[in-house]
Amino acid sequence: MKRSIFLFLSFFLLVSIAASAQIQKAKAQWSYSFSKPDVKKGETVDLVFTATIDKDWYMYSSDFDPDLGPMLTTFTFEKNNTFEVVGKLKPQNPKTKFEEVWNGNVKYFEGKAVFKQTIKILADNPVIKGTSEYQTCSHVTGLCIPGGEDFEFKGLKVAAAGSTVAPESTPAESNVASADSTENAAAAPAPATVDSSSSTLTEKAPVAAAANTEDTAADGSLWAFALAAFLSGLVALLTPCVFPIIPMTVSYFTNQEKGKVKAFMYGISIVLIYTLIGTVVSRLNGPAFANFLSTHWLPNLLFFGIFIVFGLSFLGLFEIVLPSGFVNKMDQKADQGGYAGVFFMAFTLVLVSFSCTGPIVGSLLVASAGGEVVKPIIGMAAFSAAFAIPFTSFALFPQWLKSLPKSGGWLNTVKVCLGFLELALALKFFSIADQVYHWGLLDREIYLAFWIVIFAMLGFYLLGKIRTPHDSLLEKVSVPRLLLSIITFTFVIYMLPGMWGAPLKALAGYLPPQSSLDFDLSKRSAGTAAAGNSSEIAGKYSDLFHLPHELNGFFDYQEALAYAKKVNKPVFIDFTGHGCVNCREMEARVWVDPAVLQRLRNDYVIVALYVDDKTELPESQWYTSKYDNKVKKTIGAQNADLQIVKYNNNAQPHYCLVDHEGNLLVKPKNYDLNAANFAAFLDSGKAAFGK
């Protein structure tokens, strides 16, 4: 009897476990989309499978040994004549770990998984259906649950195969044999017009810019900007307008009911106010103004003026203050008490400290102005966090006040040092406008001369040899000031050889191009060793643009293709810009590498296409782009349109290796400071061209 009961209970337990197992579902929710909204028949498009994975769970990828053990993610399509699969499934950046239970490396996703599958469209209304299989596992319990579901992709617009989206007969892709091409020595045999249908971009399709998977510089620059903003907030605390306010603020909260809670709300209010400023700036800018703000003479000269004004203010020439009536009204609101009073007290702090923080905040907003949406918000949040933390911390722990140094002349020293830095940074904006419009007012040696003088004066100021209006008499030089002056003068000495042609790699991207030097010893010492066949390939716009490192090449797309066909070499396209910091850094740190330089010089026909140049072309060469329906009048506008329409990208630097018809040989490359990687990239293009 007991045995029968035991068997019954065991059976019941097994049935219960089985029943409970049946209701367990894989911990992922799927969505399906296309990489672009419309294509032409015969073109390819990526299917994007996106899984949102539950917290504490992970999903196995599809790109490791299927015999290892775990269930790989797979997608099986229902076959029909409306599309065909091209290549393998591509998981996007999975993580890798060694699992002892399988005795091997597995790849997996946490939080979010993205898979892409390229297909070729064969019909007007493609039917794209199938089923998926995958496995999710728990980090906490170790439980693994297989999953699978039916999927279907809908909403793709398919144009007729004969339709075109690229500009017809544009100067960027027209036949070189035109009336004005006779002046170019390289316009030998005119190449056939490039077939724009080879591009995978269709009209109004999304353009790959900073989101390019290979272009990780964007994320890095955002983190660097946030760190710079945070450090700027810490510096702002040391200014004469802010530092003395800390003890007064702390004493206010120590005498309040629920003082610690209000102190915490005070810090949050500071962050909210500054972040709101960043949000407003981001919305006013908008992505449409990116190119205008970064390259047009008006905003660049405006930013130049702002930095100069802020720099002179920090040096003590005048103070930037807000209207006293406005500040007084905010102060009255702060006296009302309660949480509303805490907010207005934070607002009053922002206003009262404006004469010191305004230049720093303004500089951050100017640095982030370029059509960015996230960058100003991130910058202000990071700045205000550093600004708010000390106020909140000292209010929560007032005993820490005893460790604060007393206010004094050292605060003005910090402010003056910032003034010198503002003056130096102002030159960058003037330099961009000068390069884009070819004014020739701020060449490399003039720019360097300004920086050498500014930083030399900063060094003498730190030693007490120069005094500004609000400085107290310096009787002796402290060790920190002495160390800072050593660093400053070392930087000055480092810059001096740049006046005669030293590359100054540490400043790559922040200085005007080396080709703007009037006297370059490196060129003179090189003589004609690298001159090659420069006279043979001199062509359009060679009076406006110059390649670095004595390289020879073109600045017109069709000329480069024509010459490449003549000499039977692949083409290296450099989509660049006058105001592109990363472009200059690549040239100074990667192109200069002997392995890279040798390949560029011997294996390729180089064409540099400046996308931000404002040189206006004759009206006969204007055209209306079918991408954005705007008239392209300048060299830069036409180069940028070519990059978008032909190569589906608008980021710089962007390097394309193409054949004589402009077709890509290998996947393009963006910002990458690894010279070995870049040399391998050039080798792969040459090998593909040879095939």
Side-chain angles (χ1 to χ4, degrees):
M1 183 66 179
K2 290 182 179 180
R3 184 174 181 181
S4 300
I5 294 174
F6 175 78
L7 291 174
F8 175 79
L9 291 176
S10 299
F11 176 77
F12 180 80
L13 181 61
L14 290 173
V15 171
S16 301
I17 293 174
S20 65
Q22 289 174 358
I23 63 172
Q24 289 282 345
K25 295 183 179 180
K27 306 299 181 179
Q29 296 78 43
W30 289 90
S31 62
Y32 311 101
S33 61
F34 296 97
S35 61
K36 49 188 176 183
D38 44 40
V39 296
K40 291 186 297 184
K41 191 188 299 183
E43 286 188 342
T44 61
V45 64
D46 283 345
L47 306 178
V48 183
F49 301 82
T50 304
T52 302
I53 306 168
D54 290 4
K55 184 180 179 182
D56 296 327
W57 290 76
Y58 62 94
M59 175 188 294
Y60 286 109
S61 183
S62 62
D63 54 343
F64 59 94
D65 186 359
D67 298 326
L68 199 59
M71 179 187 294
L72 275 63
T73 300
T74 59
F75 301 97
T76 304
F77 293 90
E78 294 181 7
K79 294 183 179 180
N80 57 64
N81 296 326
T82 63
F83 75 97
E84 68 177 26
V85 175
V86 178
K88 296 181 179 180
L89 182 68
K90 300 181 287 291
Q92 304 298 299
N93 302 318
K95 298 179 180 179
T96 303
K97 66 176 179 179
F98 181 84
E99 286 194 344
E100 293 184 2
V101 66
W102 306 118
N103 193 31
N105 289 323
V106 299
K107 294 187 177 182
Y108 66 101
F109 293 95
E110 293 176 312
K112 181 180 179 181
V114 179
F115 301 85
K116 292 184 179 181
Q117 176 64 62
T118 303
I119 64 169
K120 185 177 182 180
I121 302 300
L122 304 178
D124 293 338
N125 297 302
V127 179
I128 308 170
K129 296 181 179 180
T131 58
S132 64
E133 291 185 354
Y134 58 94
Q135 186 178 50
T136 55
C137 298
S138 171
H139 284 301
V140 179
T141 64
L143 177 67
C144 288
I145 303 174
E149 62 178 72
D150 296 334
F151 62 81
E152 182 175 4
F153 287 81
K154 297 180 179 180
L156 182 68
K157 297 178 181 178
V158 181
S163 62
T164 58
V165 295
E168 297 178 5
S169 300
T170 68
E173 294 196 23
S174 64
N175 196 301
V176 184
S178 59
D180 64 338
S181 67
T182 56
E183 60 181 329
N184 303 312
T193 303
V194 176
D195 180 10
S196 60
S197 65
S198 63
S199 169
T200 58
L201 178 69
T202 58
E203 191 173 357
K204 302 294 183 184
V207 180
N212 190 302
T213 56
E214 194 175 30
D215 188 11
T216 58
D219 294 336
S221 64
L222 186 61
W223 282 107
F225 182 76
L227 177 60
F230 185 83
L231 295 176
S232 299
L234 296 179
V235 171
L237 292 168
L238 303 178
T239 56
C241 314
V242 179
F243 190 82
I245 301 177
I246 296 177
M248 294 189 300
T249 303
V250 173
S251 62
Y252 172 83
F253 287 112
T254 53
N255 297 323
Q256 288 275 326
E257 183 181 354
K258 298 182 179 179
K260 293 186 181 299
V261 176
K262 289 183 177 180
F264 186 71
M265 293 299 299
Y266 180 69
I268 292 178
S269 298
I270 294 174
V271 175
L272 288 176
I273 291 168
Y274 277 110
T275 305
L276 179 62
I277 295 172
T279 304
V280 171
V281 169
S282 71
R283 300 308 301 169
L284 288 177
N285 283 340
F289 291 119
N291 185 266
F292 174 80
L293 289 175
S294 61
T295 62
H296 197 275
W297 66 268
L298 181 59
N300 275 286
L301 292 188
L302 177 63
F303 297 156
F304 168 73
I306 290 173
F307 270 64
I308 292 293
V309 170
F310 286 163
L312 295 177
S313 171
F314 273 3
L315 291 176
L317 183 61
F318 51 81
E319 286 194 7
I320 304 173
V321 295
L322 293 175
S324 58
F326 181 61
V327 177
N328 291 336
K329 286 182 180 180
M330 294 300 104
D331 192 35
Q332 292 172 6
K333 294 280 187 180
D335 292 336
Q336 294 178 1
Y339 292 108
V342 171
F343 176 81
F344 282 104
M345 185 175 178
F347 203 22
T348 303
L349 169 69
V350 173
L351 298 177
V352 170
S353 62
F354 180 78
S355 60
C356 286
T357 62
I360 301 175
V361 171
S363 301
L364 285 172
L365 293 177
V366 167
S368 66
E372 297 277 3
V373 176
V374 177
K375 203 170 184 180
I377 300 174
I378 294 294
M380 288 299 95
F383 174 87
S384 57
F387 196 67
I389 286 172
F391 282 94
T392 306
S393 301
F394 283 118
L396 293 173
F397 308 100
Q399 65 272 18
W400 290 0
L401 279 175
K402 297 178 182 179
S403 61
L404 276 182
K406 295 182 179 180
S407 301
W410 66 273
L411 290 175
N412 191 68
T413 301
V414 173
K415 189 176 178 181
V416 172
C417 290
L418 290 175
F420 281 113
L421 293 176
E422 294 275 345
L423 292 180
L425 294 174
L427 294 174
K428 176 61 180 173
F429 296 100
F430 191 96
S431 174
I432 291 174
D434 182 67
Q435 293 174 54
V436 170
Y437 290 91
H438 306 288
W439 295 337
L441 299 176
L442 195 61
D443 290 343
R444 189 179 179 94
E445 66 269 24
I446 299 175
Y447 191 106
L448 276 172
F450 272 116
W451 270 37
I452 289 170
V453 171
I454 290 172
F455 284 98
M457 293 182 70
L458 173 59
F460 285 121
Y461 173 78
L462 290 169
L463 292 175
K465 303 300 181 182
I466 299 175
R467 289 175 58 192
T468 58
H470 302 294
D471 280 320
S472 55
L473 181 63
L474 184 65
E475 297 181 355
K476 57 182 179 180
V477 179
S478 64
V479 173
R481 290 181 71 133
L482 186 62
L483 292 176
L484 287 174
S485 66
I486 291 173
I487 294 172
T488 304
F489 281 119
T490 301
F491 181 55
V492 170
I493 294 173
Y494 171 78
M495 288 189 290
L496 281 173
M499 295 287 290
W500 296 278
L504 304 182
K505 291 183 181 181
L507 297 176
Y510 297 96
L511 301 177
Q514 194 151 345
S515 59
S516 66
L517 271 176
D518 292 331
F519 183 75
D520 191 341
L521 281 177
S522 63
K523 289 184 180 180
R524 292 172 180 266
S525 61
T528 58
N533 52 358
S534 58
S535 60
E536 181 185 351
I537 66 172
K540 270 186 178 181
Y541 317 130
S542 57
D543 57 329
L544 297 176
F545 312 117
H546 304 278
L547 290 172
H549 314 306
E550 294 297 295
L551 287 166
N552 302 307
F554 296 91
F555 306 99
D556 178 79
Y557 178 71
Q558 282 295 342
E559 275 194 340
L561 295 183
Y563 185 78
K565 188 173 184 179
K566 178 181 176 182
V567 299
N568 194 31
K569 287 184 178 182
V571 180
F572 174 85
I573 304 178
D574 171 23
F575 286 105
T576 184
H578 297 292
C580 175
V581 173
N582 287 342
C583 301
R584 303 292 85 77
E585 191 172 9
M586 284 292 293
E587 292 165 4
R589 298 176 61 180
V590 177
W591 289 31
V592 75
D593 183 88
V596 173
L597 195 59
Q598 178 266 334
R599 287 164 171 79
L600 289 174
R601 181 169 289 138
N602 299 328
D603 298 340
Y604 286 89
V605 172
I606 303 172
V607 55
L609 301 178
Y610 284 80
V611 301
D612 58 1
D613 191 79
K614 304 300 182 183
T615 303
E616 188 167 308
L617 296 166
E619 189 171 355
S620 60
Q621 298 182 32
W622 297 359
Y623 69 89
T624 301
S625 170
K626 289 189 177 181
Y627 175 74
D628 58 10
N629 297 317
K630 294 182 180 180
V631 178
K632 305 302 179 183
K633 302 179 180 180
T634 65
I635 294 175
Q638 293 190 4
N639 287 336
D641 190 61
L642 171 68
Q643 183 184 3
I644 291 172
V645 172
K646 182 70 176 176
Y647 299 107
N648 193 22
N649 194 285
N650 69 348
Q652 291 84 44
H654 188 64
Y655 305 110
C656 298
L657 307 182
V658 303
D659 60 17
H660 303 153
E661 277 69 49
N663 300 313
L664 288 172
L665 297 170
V666 293
K667 183 180 178 181
K669 198 168 190 64
N670 296 95
Y671 179 76
D672 183 357
L673 293 180
N674 189 311
N677 289 347
F678 205 81
F681 166 66
L682 296 175
D683 287 340
S684 65
K686 182 181 178 182
F689 179 77
K691 294 178 182 179

